[in-house]
Structure formats: C-alpha cells, structure tokens
Amino acid sequence: MSTGVIRPFHHLRPRFLTGLLLSFTGFLLPGAQAQEVNVSDGLAAAPTTATSSLPRLGGSDGAIAIQGERGFYTENDVAHGVGRTTVTFDDMTISADVLSIDMITQQLDAEGNVVFTTKDDEVRASAGHYDFRRMEGVAYDAEGVTGTLHFRTEWDEEKNGPSFRRISEDEALFRGASYTTSGFPVPTWRIEAREIILVPGERVFMRGATLFVRDTPIFYLPVYSRSLQGSSPWSFEIGSAPDYGTYASVRYRFHHESKVPDYNDPAKYITRSTGRLGLRTDFFTGGAIGVGIDYKYKFDFEKHIGSLELYGVRENVREIEDESDGGQRYLYRHRHNSLFGKTMFQLSTSWMSDPEVEYDFFDPFLDEARGRRPERRARAALTYLEEDWVARISGEIKDRVTLSRYGDPTEIQDDDLNYATDPNLARTGDDSDGIDSDRYGRVTERFDGRVATRMLPFFGDSLFWDAEFNAFRALDAGFNELSDDDDALLTGVDYYNSLTHRMKLDRQGRFTWLNTVGIGAGFYRRNTDDLVSDSIRIPGGIGAVPVDGQRYIDRETIALGAGSRQLSYDDVRPYYLWADYVSRLNARFTENLSGYLKYTNRIGTSRSAGAFYEEAGRLEAFEDIYDFPVEKHWIEAFLNYSPLYPKIETYLAAGYNLQSRSDIFANEKQWYAGVGTDYESDSGEVRLGASSTLSSYQARDRGDPNEFDFEELSGRLYAEYLPRHGRYWASLTIDGSIPLSDDPVAEANRKQARFTENRSDVSIRPVIGRQFGPKYDVELMADYNTRISGLKEAGVLIVRDIYDADLSLFLGARSTTSDSEDDNDNTNEDRPESNLEPYFRFGLTFKVPEESQGLSAVSLKTMRDRRRAASFVE
C-alpha cells in the first residue's frame, strides 16, 4: 500500500459538482452518438446502450459524461451503472465497480475499487459518498498519490466513522492518516497525524504529528503545517562536538512572500516583501541546549533589506563565564539597510558574549571552521544623500580580546595573548579551557559626523574640487584596555579641501594623468595627558618594562625601547595642519592590459595626536579611535592583465615607503611586492589560482638596539577540477604565511613580547571526491597545518540520496591542540602539541524528488554541491 497525504478531490470544482447534480440527464455509451436528455424525461427502466451528454448547466463550461461497462438502468429516480462505471468531467474521472446517483437527493454512491483520477492525482478507496448540494463527501479506506506525494489511512472506521471527509470545496479532512514522498511499499519515512486538513495544492495542517523512519517514531509535534508547493522545511543533524558530547540539531525553514500587481503591467505581479526564516534547536548530551534563528528579509520593494542571526545557549561545561550569568551565552549578528527618500539608515552588528561561542557551537555545523573572534562590534549610521554632497552621522562600539597588562611580563597576570584567535594556543588560567569573556576590553566608543562633496567640476571639465568636514568624540582605551581606570576621551574636528586636475595624454583616452593638491586643518584634544593612572599596577615602580621594551618614565612619558628616545603626551599640540600631493598616471595599454603608477606625499606640523600614536607603534588607534591624517610618502604601482580569452586574470603590485628611516616607526610597513593570477576554463570545470605577497615591517622602535626589519611571505595556491559529469572531483588549497626574519631577542623574551612571532602558519587542504553509483557521493578531505606540524582535521564525507531525503555522514578527527607550556611557567618551550580527537556528523534532509532543495539544504555538502553548476560552451 502506498502512503502519503495530498488533495484527493482537487478537481471536484463547484462547476463540476453543480453540473453533475442539475444536469445528470443522459449517458455516453461506446459506439453511439451523444444526445442531451432533460431530467423531466425520465430514464429507461432497463439497461440501455444509448449514450448521453449532460447539458452545460450551473456555470459549467464542460459536459459531464457517464459510461457503464454494460450500460445502465434507472429505478425510483436512481441511476445505476451496470458493471464498472466511469464518470468524466474535464480532466477528472471517477470510476467504481458499483456506482449510482440519486436524481432527487443529488447524491452519488460508489463501492468497490473506487478511483478518483486527474492529470496529477489518483485517489483510491473501498467506498465513497458525495453530496453535490453541500459539496461534501466521505471515503473509506482512502489512499492515493498526487505528483510525488503518497498518502494512506489506518483508522477504525466501524467505530469512528470514515477516514476521509470532504468538508468544503477548498478543504478536506483525513483522520488517522500519514503521508510521505516515498513510493515504496515500506516507506523510508512518513508523518502520521491524528487529523490532517488539506488546502488543495497549497498547504497541509496536522494535529498530533509524529515522524516515523522505517516505522520507528523519531519526533513528535502537537501541531505541524507545511506547504505542498516545495521541498520539506525540516532537516536534522546528529554529531559530536568538542567538550559537549553528542548533539542533535532540529531545524525548520520558513519562506514568506507578498506580491502585488505591477504598476506598468497589472497582469504581472512583482514582489513587495519576502523573507526566509530558519529556526534551530540543538541538544547536547554534555549538558547544553541552544536555540537560534536565521532571518533574511526584504520589505517594501527592497527599501528595507537585512539579515539577522541570533543564537543563545545555556550550559555549564566551560568555566569561562561569570557565575552570575548561569552559563547563558549568545551570538547576535544583524545587518540592516533602510531607505527613506534621500535618507539611509544602516546597522551592522556582530556581537557575542565571549570568543568561544562560535568555536564551541558553530564549528561542528559548518564546512569550514570559523575559529574564535578577536573582536565584537556594533555600528549604526544615518546618511542623507544629495546629488553633489552627502551628510552622515554614525556611532560605533567595539570590544577586543586583549591584554591584562602588568609591568612584569614574567607574571601570569600579564597574559601576552593579545589578539589570540587560535583556540589551540590559548592559555587563560588553570580552571579554564578557553578564552574568558572577561578578556574582552572596550577599545572603541566613537560618535562622529561627516559632510562631504563629490568631485565637482571647477572651471571646465578638467579641474575638479571637493571638500570634507569631520567631527568626532572617541574613547582612547589607554595602556590597559581591560581596565577603564586609564581611559581618556579624545575630541576632534578637521576640514580638508582639494583640487584635482585631469589631463588626457592621448586622443583615445588610454593614458590619463591625475594630479591632486589638498590642504587641511584639524583640532584634536585629549581630556588628559596621563597615559596610565595611579590604579594601574607597575611592579617595581617607574621604569619597569611592560611590553616590547617600552618603559614609562612617568605617567605621561614613554621611553621607546632600550634606547634614549622618549615620547610624552604632554608635548602633543592640539592642532594639526597638513598639505598633500597625489599624482596618479592611469594607463590602458591594450584592451586587456591596464595599470597605474601612484605617488603620494603628505607633510604636516609636528607633535600631533596622530603622530603620537604612530610613533608609539599603536597603529590600531587609527581604526579604533580615528583615522588621523599623518605624514606619508609612498610610491605604488599596479598592473593588471585580463584577456577576453582565455578566462585568466593576472596582476602585479608593489609599493615602497619613501620616508627616511628615522620617520618609519614600530609596526609600519616599509615595502611590499605581490603577484597573482586566476584561471577558469570555458566550461568552468578547471579553476587555478596563485597569489603571493612579500612585505617588510619595522619591528620595534628605531632607537631600540633590538629593532629589525620583519619580512614575511604570504600567499595562496589553489587548484580545482570539477568535471560536468560529476563522477569525480578534486581540489588542493595551500595558504598561509612564513616569517623570513629572526628576532634578535632570545626565544624566552621574544615569547613574552610577541605571541605568534617567527612561526610559520601554512595550511594544506586536499579534497578528493567520487560518485559511486547513482546514489552515493564520497569525499575525502584533510587539513595539515605547519604551525602544529600535524593534521588539524581529516575525514570522509558520505552523502546518500534515498529518493525522498538526503542522508549525509562525516567520520573524521579534529585537532584538540593544546599549548604544552605550563600556565605558571613562562620559561618552557612554547610549542603546541597536536592531539586528534574523533568526531562525527550525521544529517537528514527531506526533499521532494526531482525538485530543488530550496530552503532545507543538506547541512553536510560535498565540494561538488558547494560549487556552482558548470556551464556548457555554446
């Protein structure tokens, strides 16, 4: 017996029912001409071989015909078919071994192999009854199929009545029924419910719904509804997570859409609002439960667009939270744009309770690990747009995983894991196995406003003028970013004007020379000159060495390195004047080869607020506090080659800092050179790419005897082969960075000062996949990392198509690398050790066969699934 649930009487439309009731006056029999007979004429008393067609009454646009296997006869105004009898109307057919219609009560009765058939539907029952006046009917032992959906009933009809009832022209009710998409005698899965209400072709509503897999109950919902127009919104996943044992994840997806007639063409409809909502609940045997939503939306004809991700979990496994919060942890991401005429509102938030949330609860569910986030931030802006100018006010807050800075780096309180994002190298105390939420320090609180013009024509079409005014009030987190004792507020305004001259060097416009001259003035004031407060602990008194050789002479003065150069905020001037010159030569040598040469030179008054942060090596202040205009002197070049055929793009880039060595301070870039290329075959089956950048930075202040040029090589190499037949596929990705310079400071001291210094970090990730038969996809993957000199992850992914669902299973191992260093001993070798721990993931996603997965995408995917479909060359 096939099983499933769908509309059995979808095509029993009112026109059919009314016509069948009011015009059942004649019959069609094989081999005879059709004729119309009035109801008042009566019918023959014995079986006849005449054929008849019912008139088009009751608004019907098609005739109803009846055909008996051996004719028909009438008795007391009841028409009886002789042998198996069939009634047809448009694309609807009703047939039964015994069929009769009462011409007075307007009711139809059928028994024995009753079949209702349309183009897409077939419903079978042992018996059926229908009242054409009320458009109500019942069926016994109903089962059937519509499209790819099957249904069946298991109901004590002698005790409780019929299992199927048609309650209106738009609704049908099943009792003790189940549905599935499997056409097998024993379905792989089915959903059984106490009651099922069908809205034909649109939606199904259930009460007391239970999911069965191979006749085993898996999940129960008191109320459940789903659309009949797409794939199932449900998906399930089971697996193992680090520190939290086995988990089970239940997910549900919902799509809403509102359409209105197009103003220009009312016959067409356009989308007014749409949204895709995902709900998930995660259960962990290790003692945690999490719930989350994922919502992407567009409202009012895309005037309001955004995405929201919210996840909360309650657990007591990790000891990284305050006891007062009871183990409640969360992740909140929200991006939103709203347009109100010429005004735009924007919101961008990525906030979490602690750095471990993603690593603990999201890595097991993703194809690629997200890792631990060093920052959480929230930004909002209100912008007014005009054709020639723009005005904007904005605000931002940002926390960063940062230092508890103490003067003595040998103390464990001086945790030198600044910006530590690698979970395998975290050490935050004996009772913790992760980065504590208290490691978040407030580094940005800023409110600013801006008014700027676009480049406006000025005396012709070769000279342009633009201007910009900025005002801000921002937090300077000071020496200890985890404490607010040394916080300060910095307020500033600046104004900038520039003139740009454009010169075409040839008639074709292939060579253009742009020259810009600008001047600016700024006023920046800090509410205190103190860099550290009295409450900041400096062991051993003034002169202790806290970080990278810096010493505090007093509360306002830093001695840079072991040399004699000093930097005091007391010497900073509140104003800054600057002028700059930018020259850029744009060249389009051919249709495929283009590039530019750029020269930038900015000079300004000395002892400014921006110069203080630059000289102190605090380059993060230009992002955390304000992008101060400071002196710069660079020459840069870029060359790009992109032919129409083949699909290849290659670039060369280089830059050199022309400032004198005495004006290049700690952490500043000195030069860089890079090359890269990307290739894709015409069919998209082969993709190749490589890029590499060599760069040099100034390490420590020039006055420090331990200063040096820190050179680093970073790059990426990838190759991917995904043939159109999809029987096998492969890829190889290599990316990372390799330090090329050695710190002259001893290993132990270097370890205290710089956490990741002089350690290569290269990841090698091969993937090989193959299809086995029409149902199985198998993929092998590994991820080798030089930083731990071992595997970070390896395993096999198996995806099985079971017709009405996709099963996916990942079996592998992931690194639980830990720092071998004792937390209370900073003298041991700081070398991580790789420990592989097995884990698995199992996913189940229901689907409608031969249709797209839609919202309920399989959670575990092969590389072939993730890649876009290859295109054929015409």
Side-chain angles (χ1 to χ4, degrees), residues 452-523:
T453 69
R454 69 179 181 89
M455 296 186 67
L456 303 173
F458 189 74
F459 294 117
D461 61 352
S462 60
L463 193 63
F464 301 88
W465 169 82
D466 70 317
E468 180 178 327
F469 173 81
N470 296 286
F472 71 93
R473 184 174 179 84
L475 168 73
D476 180 354
F479 171 66
N480 192 332
E481 295 172 341
L482 290 180
S483 170
D484 56 7
D485 292 336
D486 60 339
D487 288 355
L489 287 176
L490 197 145
T491 305
V493 296
D494 58 40
Y495 179 71
Y496 178 76
N497 277 272
S498 73
L499 283 175
T500 299
H501 181 262
R502 180 181 64 182
M503 179 187 300
K504 294 182 180 181
L505 302 181
D506 65 331
R507 294 182 178 180
Q508 293 77 20
R510 291 180 176 271
F511 297 90
T512 305
W513 190 15
L514 299 176
N515 289 275
T516 301
V517 177
I519 57 173
F523 179 87

XYZ file of all heavy atoms in Angstrom, residues 452-523:
578
model
N 30.510 65.826 3.174
C 31.494 65.783 2.089
C 30.804 65.990 0.757
O 29.623 65.647 0.577
C 32.234 64.439 2.092
N 31.547 66.567 -0.164
C 31.045 66.749 -1.525
C 31.644 65.676 -2.423
O 32.646 65.039 -2.088
C 31.435 68.130 -2.078
O 32.848 68.166 -2.292
C 31.040 69.231 -1.108
N 31.014 65.478 -3.562
C 31.659 64.673 -4.592
C 32.621 65.583 -5.356
O 32.709 66.786 -5.084
C 30.628 64.070 -5.526
C 29.909 65.069 -6.413
C 28.924 64.365 -7.335
N 28.237 65.299 -8.219
C 28.674 65.669 -9.401
N 29.827 65.205 -9.863
N 27.992 66.520 -10.142
N 33.352 65.026 -6.310
C 34.272 65.848 -7.102
C 33.452 66.690 -8.076
O 32.861 66.172 -9.032
C 35.272 64.958 -7.840
C 36.183 64.186 -6.897
S 37.478 63.249 -7.757
C 38.471 64.585 -8.418
N 33.414 67.993 -7.811
C 32.581 68.907 -8.591
C 33.415 69.605 -9.664
O 34.546 70.030 -9.396
C 31.957 69.951 -7.671
C 31.111 69.397 -6.516
C 30.697 70.525 -5.586
C 29.893 68.665 -7.059
N 32.876 69.731 -10.884
C 33.609 70.450 -11.938
C 33.906 71.891 -11.507
O 33.070 72.565 -10.912
C 32.637 70.406 -13.126
C 31.734 69.240 -12.839
C 31.602 69.179 -11.361
N 35.113 72.329 -11.829
C 35.572 73.657 -11.397
C 36.287 74.311 -12.574
O 37.393 73.930 -12.933
C 36.514 73.500 -10.197
C 36.882 74.774 -9.522
C 35.964 75.436 -8.728
C 38.149 75.320 -9.679
C 36.298 76.620 -8.090
C 38.494 76.507 -9.049
C 37.568 77.167 -8.244
N 35.609 75.254 -13.236
C 36.155 75.921 -14.407
C 36.484 74.923 -15.510
O 37.645 74.722 -15.869
C 37.400 76.759 -14.051
C 37.106 77.916 -13.147
C 37.659 77.975 -11.888
C 36.262 78.940 -13.565
C 37.391 79.036 -11.051
C 35.984 79.999 -12.723
C 36.541 80.059 -11.465
N 35.476 74.270 -16.045
C 35.670 73.345 -17.149
C 35.583 71.898 -16.698
O 35.225 71.597 -15.560
N 35.925 71.017 -17.643
C 35.784 69.591 -17.360
C 37.118 68.924 -17.046
O 37.208 67.694 -17.017
C 35.134 68.888 -18.553
C 35.967 69.025 -19.817
O 36.958 69.779 -19.785
O 35.608 68.393 -20.831
N 38.160 69.689 -16.782
C 39.445 69.086 -16.451
C 39.898 69.410 -15.023
O 40.893 68.867 -14.554
C 40.524 69.551 -17.434
O 40.678 70.961 -17.389
N 39.178 70.284 -14.324
C 39.537 70.661 -12.973
C 38.344 70.387 -12.057
O 37.201 70.755 -12.383
C 39.925 72.145 -12.916
C 40.625 72.620 -11.637
C 41.964 71.903 -11.456
C 40.828 74.143 -11.688
N 38.611 69.721 -10.902
C 37.533 69.317 -10.001
C 37.899 69.706 -8.571
O 39.075 69.679 -8.176
C 37.314 67.808 -10.074
C 36.972 67.314 -11.442
C 37.975 66.962 -12.341
C 35.656 67.206 -11.850
C 37.669 66.503 -13.600
C 35.333 66.746 -13.107
C 36.339 66.397 -13.990
N 36.853 70.051 -7.801
C 37.030 70.455 -6.413
C 36.175 69.578 -5.513
O 35.059 69.191 -5.872
C 36.625 71.916 -6.257
C 36.521 72.367 -4.811
C 37.531 72.752 -4.004
C 35.317 72.471 -4.036
N 37.062 73.096 -2.758
C 35.695 72.935 -2.749
C 33.966 72.223 -4.287
C 34.774 73.154 -1.724
C 33.052 72.429 -3.277
C 33.457 72.885 -2.016
N 36.728 69.234 -4.347
C 35.924 68.534 -3.356
C 36.356 68.985 -1.971
O 37.449 69.536 -1.777
C 36.045 67.020 -3.497
C 37.419 66.506 -3.087
O 38.408 67.138 -3.466
O 37.492 65.475 -2.398
N 35.465 68.782 -0.997
C 35.717 69.209 0.383
C 35.125 68.175 1.334
O 34.208 67.432 0.982
C 35.118 70.584 0.638
N 35.664 68.164 2.568
C 35.212 67.193 3.553
C 35.396 67.775 4.946
O 36.453 68.334 5.267
C 36.014 65.892 3.408
C 35.621 64.802 4.380
C 36.415 63.524 4.152
O 36.750 63.245 2.978
O 36.724 62.837 5.145
N 34.342 67.659 5.773
C 34.402 68.113 7.156
C 34.054 66.943 8.069
O 33.058 66.237 7.840
C 33.426 69.267 7.383
C 33.320 69.672 8.833
C 34.274 70.490 9.410
C 32.263 69.220 9.621
C 34.185 70.856 10.751
C 32.171 69.586 10.958
C 33.127 70.399 11.522
N 34.867 66.708 9.101
C 34.653 65.608 10.039
C 34.704 66.133 11.465
O 35.504 67.014 11.789
C 35.733 64.532 9.878
C 35.691 63.876 8.515
O 34.816 63.081 8.229
N 36.650 64.232 7.668
N 33.847 65.548 12.318
C 33.860 65.841 13.748
C 33.624 64.533 14.487
O 32.826 63.694 14.051
C 32.787 66.861 14.099
N 34.307 64.338 15.620
C 34.176 63.071 16.339
C 34.457 63.256 17.820
O 35.098 64.229 18.238
C 35.127 62.023 15.760
C 36.575 62.271 16.053
C 37.205 61.713 17.166
C 37.338 63.093 15.225
C 38.539 61.962 17.446
C 38.675 63.341 15.497
C 39.285 62.776 16.614
N 33.983 62.299 18.589
C 34.315 62.170 20.011
C 34.498 60.681 20.261
O 33.577 59.895 20.037
C 33.215 62.740 20.890
C 33.547 62.715 22.395
C 32.461 63.425 23.187
N 32.702 63.408 24.619
C 33.473 64.263 25.276
N 34.097 65.231 24.591
N 33.634 64.191 26.591
N 35.697 60.285 20.717
C 36.031 58.869 20.769
C 36.771 58.521 22.046
O 37.387 59.382 22.698
C 36.873 58.479 19.558
N 36.717 57.242 22.369
C 37.419 56.699 23.526
C 38.851 56.347 23.154
O 39.107 55.750 22.120
C 36.694 55.440 24.016
C 37.431 54.574 25.039
C 37.446 55.254 26.399
C 36.791 53.187 25.130
N 39.793 56.726 24.033
C 41.167 56.218 23.976
C 41.313 55.262 25.157
O 41.321 55.687 26.313
C 42.172 57.361 24.071
C 43.619 56.865 24.024
O 43.825 55.631 24.031
O 44.539 57.703 23.984
N 41.373 53.945 24.848
C 41.360 52.938 25.896
C 42.612 52.933 26.743
O 42.670 52.226 27.760
C 41.141 51.556 25.286
N 43.648 53.666 26.351
C 44.830 53.799 27.165
C 45.724 52.575 27.166
O 45.668 51.730 26.279
N 46.542 52.485 28.195
C 47.559 51.436 28.290
C 46.946 50.069 28.549
O 47.315 49.079 27.949
C 48.540 51.828 29.397
C 49.508 50.743 29.751
C 50.453 50.327 28.833
C 49.482 50.142 30.994
C 51.361 49.333 29.159
C 50.385 49.152 31.328
C 51.326 48.737 30.403
N 45.980 49.998 29.472
C 45.332 48.735 29.806
C 43.913 48.751 29.249
O 43.020 49.400 29.789
C 45.311 48.542 31.324
C 44.909 47.124 31.710
O 44.179 46.461 30.986
N 45.388 46.668 32.856
N 43.693 48.025 28.183
C 42.399 48.047 27.511
C 41.336 47.273 28.273
O 40.148 47.376 27.967
C 42.544 47.498 26.088
C 43.418 48.383 25.210
C 43.725 47.763 23.862
O 43.582 46.535 23.751
O 44.100 48.492 22.947
N 41.735 46.449 29.243
C 40.770 45.722 30.051
C 40.303 46.514 31.256
O 39.400 46.088 31.958
C 41.374 44.387 30.526
C 41.578 43.341 29.435
C 42.184 42.085 30.019
C 40.262 43.019 28.746
N 40.903 47.643 31.489
C 40.532 48.484 32.625
C 40.108 49.842 32.107
O 40.617 50.332 31.105
C 41.719 48.629 33.591
O 41.453 49.608 34.567
N 39.159 50.469 32.814
C 38.741 51.804 32.409
C 39.380 52.890 33.276
O 39.053 54.067 33.154
C 37.219 51.926 32.464
C 36.655 51.593 33.848
O 37.452 51.410 34.783
O 35.415 51.505 33.967
N 40.329 52.495 34.137
C 40.979 53.481 35.009
C 41.850 54.446 34.221
O 42.036 55.593 34.639
C 41.819 52.773 36.078
C 40.955 52.020 37.074
O 39.765 52.401 37.215
O 41.434 51.044 37.683
N 42.420 53.984 33.119
C 43.299 54.856 32.344
C 42.643 55.306 31.045
O 43.327 55.765 30.129
C 44.624 54.154 32.049
C 44.423 52.871 31.244
O 43.296 52.334 31.267
O 45.388 52.420 30.611
N 41.310 55.177 30.948
C 40.612 55.618 29.743
C 40.639 57.140 29.631
O 40.679 57.865 30.635
C 39.162 55.137 29.747
C 39.057 53.645 29.506
O 40.100 53.010 29.242
O 37.939 53.106 29.591
N 40.584 57.612 28.399
C 40.519 59.044 28.132
C 39.568 59.272 26.966
O 39.263 58.352 26.196
C 41.902 59.601 27.825
N 39.100 60.510 26.834
C 38.233 60.896 25.725
C 38.979 61.856 24.819
O 39.661 62.780 25.289
C 36.950 61.554 26.234
C 35.930 60.626 26.885
C 34.751 61.435 27.427
C 35.425 59.597 25.877
N 38.866 61.631 23.525
C 39.536 62.474 22.542
C 38.479 63.065 21.615
O 37.669 62.317 21.040
C 40.565 61.665 21.764
C 41.612 62.472 20.993
C 42.945 61.743 21.013
C 41.185 62.711 19.554
N 38.478 64.376 21.496
C 37.522 65.097 20.660
C 38.279 65.791 19.534
O 39.378 66.320 19.748
C 36.746 66.140 21.482
O 36.136 65.497 22.593
C 35.679 66.819 20.636
N 37.698 65.788 18.342
C 38.409 66.399 17.230
C 37.500 66.830 16.104
O 36.383 66.321 15.946
N 37.997 67.803 15.332
C 37.367 68.242 14.084
C 38.465 68.489 13.075
O 39.594 68.847 13.432
C 36.516 69.525 14.271
C 35.335 69.265 15.203
C 37.370 70.661 14.802
N 38.165 68.254 11.794
C 39.123 68.622 10.750
C 38.373 68.949 9.473
O 37.212 68.545 9.278
C 40.183 67.537 10.520
C 39.603 66.190 10.151
O 38.638 66.134 9.370
O 40.113 65.167 10.654
N 39.033 69.710 8.620
C 38.445 70.162 7.359
C 39.509 70.047 6.278
O 40.669 70.411 6.481
C 37.977 71.619 7.486
C 37.385 72.173 6.218
C 36.152 71.740 5.753
C 38.068 73.147 5.485
C 35.609 72.252 4.582
C 37.536 73.669 4.321
C 36.301 73.210 3.874
O 35.763 73.714 2.712
N 39.079 69.540 5.117
C 40.023 69.270 4.031
C 39.426 69.726 2.706
O 38.237 69.494 2.420
C 40.338 67.776 3.991
C 41.283 67.363 2.878
C 42.644 67.605 2.969
C 40.793 66.731 1.737
C 43.504 67.219 1.952
C 41.640 66.340 0.717
C 42.999 66.594 0.818
O 43.850 66.216 -0.184
N 40.258 70.389 1.872
C 39.892 70.810 0.510
C 40.930 70.284 -0.455
O 42.118 70.208 -0.116
C 39.867 72.339 0.402
C 38.556 72.915 0.895
O 37.609 73.039 0.152
N 38.525 73.264 2.182
N 40.491 69.952 -1.663
C 41.459 69.530 -2.675
C 40.989 69.933 -4.056
O 39.783 70.069 -4.315
C 41.684 68.016 -2.622
O 40.564 67.326 -3.136
N 41.963 70.141 -4.940
C 41.726 70.380 -6.360
C 42.404 69.266 -7.149
O 43.564 68.933 -6.886
C 42.293 71.737 -6.785
C 41.490 72.976 -6.399
C 42.258 74.237 -6.781
C 40.117 72.962 -7.072
N 41.674 68.715 -8.097
C 42.199 67.630 -8.931
C 42.159 68.052 -10.385
O 41.121 68.506 -10.889
C 41.372 66.347 -8.741
O 41.446 65.941 -7.377
C 41.892 65.232 -9.629
N 43.295 67.871 -11.046
C 43.390 68.194 -12.469
C 43.545 66.899 -13.257
O 44.363 66.043 -12.926
C 44.588 69.107 -12.753
C 44.713 69.474 -14.192
N 45.577 68.826 -15.066
C 44.070 70.425 -14.926
C 45.462 69.356 -16.261
N 44.564 70.336 -16.219
N 42.720 66.773 -14.280
C 42.758 65.588 -15.136
C 43.271 65.978 -16.516
O 42.750 66.891 -17.152
C 41.369 64.970 -15.263
C 41.334 63.727 -16.145
C 39.922 63.183 -16.245
N 39.041 64.148 -16.900
C 37.732 63.942 -17.080
N 37.172 62.849 -16.600
N 36.986 64.851 -17.693
N 44.292 65.252 -16.966
C 44.874 65.532 -18.268
C 44.895 64.247 -19.096
O 45.440 63.222 -18.653
C 46.310 66.064 -18.116
C 46.998 66.358 -19.445
S 48.756 66.794 -19.215
C 48.592 68.250 -18.175
N 44.313 64.307 -20.276
C 44.377 63.189 -21.210
C 45.631 63.326 -22.055
O 45.840 64.351 -22.717
C 43.135 63.150 -22.089
C 41.856 62.860 -21.327
C 40.654 62.776 -22.268
C 39.379 62.478 -21.502
N 38.200 62.373 -22.401
N 46.454 62.284 -22.033
C 47.736 62.355 -22.723
C 47.664 61.874 -24.161
O 48.649 61.998 -24.896
C 48.780 61.534 -21.955
C 49.007 61.960 -20.497
C 50.069 61.091 -19.859
C 49.389 63.437 -20.430
N 46.537 61.318 -24.571
C 46.376 60.911 -25.962
C 44.915 61.094 -26.353
O 44.033 61.255 -25.520
C 46.827 59.466 -26.186
C 45.945 58.483 -25.433
O 45.397 58.872 -24.376
O 45.782 57.352 -25.894
N 44.662 61.077 -27.631
C 43.314 61.315 -28.126
C 42.348 60.199 -27.772
O 41.158 60.416 -27.584
C 43.356 61.501 -29.647
C 44.085 62.749 -30.107
C 44.031 62.859 -31.624
N 44.707 64.089 -32.082
C 44.807 64.434 -33.364
N 44.286 63.637 -34.314
N 45.418 65.556 -33.702
N 42.838 58.983 -27.700
C 41.971 57.849 -27.405
C 41.604 57.746 -25.919
O 40.741 56.958 -25.549
C 42.633 56.531 -27.841
C 42.806 56.374 -29.345
C 43.968 57.195 -29.883
O 44.868 57.576 -29.111
N 43.956 57.488 -31.183
N 42.258 58.518 -25.077
C 41.973 58.470 -23.658
C 42.548 57.261 -22.950
O 42.098 56.895 -21.855
N 43.548 56.617 -23.541
C 44.154 55.444 -22.911
C 45.082 55.833 -21.768
O 45.317 55.026 -20.855
C 44.929 54.630 -23.944
C 44.056 53.942 -24.982
C 44.889 53.158 -25.973
N 44.070 52.413 -26.912
C 43.623 51.175 -26.714
N 43.936 50.551 -25.589
N 42.885 50.572 -27.619
N 45.624 57.040 -21.796
C 46.551 57.491 -20.761
C 45.990 58.778 -20.144
O 45.754 59.758 -20.854
C 47.942 57.741 -21.338
C 48.585 56.508 -21.904
C 48.401 56.170 -23.248
C 49.351 55.671 -21.111
C 48.972 55.031 -23.785
C 49.935 54.542 -21.643
C 49.743 54.209 -22.976
N 45.780 58.716 -18.832
C 45.219 59.855 -18.108
C 46.093 60.149 -16.901
O 46.463 59.238 -16.145
C 43.785 59.560 -17.645
O 42.986 59.187 -18.764
C 43.170 60.781 -16.982
N 46.399 61.422 -16.713
C 47.254 61.838 -15.597
C 46.411 62.692 -14.658
O 45.885 63.737 -15.045
C 48.451 62.622 -16.135
C 49.512 62.895 -15.101
C 49.650 62.315 -13.883
C 50.576 63.840 -15.229
N 50.738 62.799 -13.216
C 51.333 63.753 -14.030
C 50.986 64.732 -16.228
C 52.464 64.533 -13.804
C 52.119 65.510 -16.008
C 52.846 65.414 -14.800
N 46.295 62.229 -13.406
C 45.546 62.947 -12.380
C 46.518 63.514 -11.355
O 47.390 62.802 -10.843
C 44.553 62.015 -11.677
C 43.469 61.369 -12.538
C 42.642 60.401 -11.709
C 42.575 62.425 -13.163
N 46.351 64.785 -11.051
C 47.172 65.448 -10.046
C 46.252 66.137 -9.046
O 45.381 66.937 -9.438
C 48.115 66.467 -10.677
C 49.234 65.805 -11.460
O 50.260 65.432 -10.897
N 49.018 65.640 -12.769
N 46.439 65.831 -7.760
C 45.592 66.385 -6.702
C 46.458 67.120 -5.690
O 47.468 66.587 -5.214
C 44.806 65.266 -5.991
O 43.991 64.587 -6.937
C 43.938 65.835 -4.880
N 46.029 68.344 -5.357
C 46.670 69.140 -4.321
C 45.620 69.457 -3.272
O 44.518 69.914 -3.609
C 47.273 70.434 -4.887
C 47.872 71.274 -3.765
C 48.329 70.130 -5.933
N 45.945 69.183 -2.012
C 44.980 69.414 -0.951
C 45.611 69.998 0.285
O 46.807 69.821 0.545
N 44.813 70.713 1.061
C 45.257 71.259 2.339
C 44.187 70.951 3.379
O 42.995 70.828 3.065
C 45.521 72.779 2.281
C 44.259 73.523 1.815
C 46.685 73.100 1.378
C 44.401 75.035 1.903
N 44.602 70.812 4.636
C 43.662 70.515 5.697
C 44.116 71.060 7.018
O 45.306 71.356 7.225
N 43.160 71.215 7.923
C 43.444 71.686 9.275
C 42.592 70.897 10.247
O 41.419 70.611 9.979
C 43.157 73.175 9.400
N 43.196 70.528 11.382
C 42.472 69.748 12.362
C 42.766 70.198 13.779
O 43.835 70.768 14.058
N 41.795 69.928 14.652
C 41.959 70.237 16.062
C 41.578 68.989 16.841
O 40.436 68.519 16.760
C 41.073 71.418 16.461
C 41.181 71.781 17.915
C 42.159 72.663 18.360
C 40.296 71.248 18.850
C 42.258 72.992 19.706
C 40.398 71.576 20.188
C 41.379 72.454 20.622
